[in-house]
Amino acid sequence: MTARQSSDPKRRLAPPGRLGPLGRQALAAAVVYIGSALHKRHPGDYGFHPPVNPRTWTSLCDGKRVILKAEAAELLRQGVLDGLFSDFPDNGVPKYVWSVDADREVYEAKIDSNGYHGYRLEEEDDFRPLILKEWAKRCSPR
């Protein structure tokens, strides 16, 4: 697997003040996590058909441990509440949302036509240290 680069201008963190607390709460209530069988080794409770179909060149959300759908949805919600999302047009949603779990693993959620799916950022990913740094600045550790 090769490290993904962050040359995509949409894969940039929005400034810390992009949304205030009420705006982040509204956005967190609006985002929907659906998952993707392309980023799963274990089907968990997602109900995918076929159960899993991981691409060999992509990061897996469950590469280190199984992540059930409720936890993945909570990581997405918490990332929004923490302000760890890409910029987006008014009345829209961000293309990317990042979150850090209790073990300091970094996850990236990306939207497609149905909702968000997520995956763990591998150690080689050049965006991982930036997210950890911003998470430490913007969020109180959980």
Side-chain angles (χ1 to χ4, degrees):
M1 178 180 344
T2 60
R4 292 175 312 135
Q5 301 299 312
S6 52
S7 58
D8 180 352
K10 294 177 184 159
R11 195 178 186 226
R12 302 269 190 267
L13 271 167
R18 171 61 172 92
L19 289 177
L22 291 177
R24 289 193 306 261
Q25 287 174 5
L27 181 59
V31 296
V32 176
Y33 185 83
I34 58 166
S36 170
L38 300 175
H39 293 282
K40 297 272 183 268
R41 181 177 298 143
H42 308 284
D45 63 348
Y46 289 81
F48 295 133
H49 298 285
V52 292
N53 187 22
R55 294 178 178 166
T56 57
W57 63 89
T58 62
S59 296
L60 298 173
C61 119
D62 57 0
K64 288 204 168 199
R65 64 182 179 87
V66 173
I67 297 181
L68 299 179
K69 193 170 182 182
E71 180 184 0
E74 178 57 22
L75 283 166
L76 174 65
R77 189 184 79 76
Q78 193 59 54
V80 170
L81 293 174
D82 290 342
L84 296 174
F85 46 79
S86 59
D87 211 350
F88 56 96
D90 292 338
N91 298 320
V93 295
K95 181 173 183 174
Y96 295 98
V97 177
W98 297 274
S99 190
V100 179
D101 73 7
D103 296 325
R104 296 183 50 87
E105 291 295 335
V106 179
Y107 294 89
E108 178 175 270
K110 184 177 179 182
I111 196 164
D112 64 21
S113 59
N114 299 314
Y116 285 89
H117 65 276
Y119 35 85
R120 183 178 158 272
L121 291 186
E122 304 290 337
E123 286 76 7
E124 302 82 21
D125 193 302
D126 60 342
F127 215 58
R128 182 184 168 93
L130 174 70
I131 297 300
L132 284 169
K133 179 181 174 184
E134 286 299 313
W135 176 74
K137 287 190 325 191
R138 296 182 187 197
C139 314
S140 56
R142 294 179 277 287

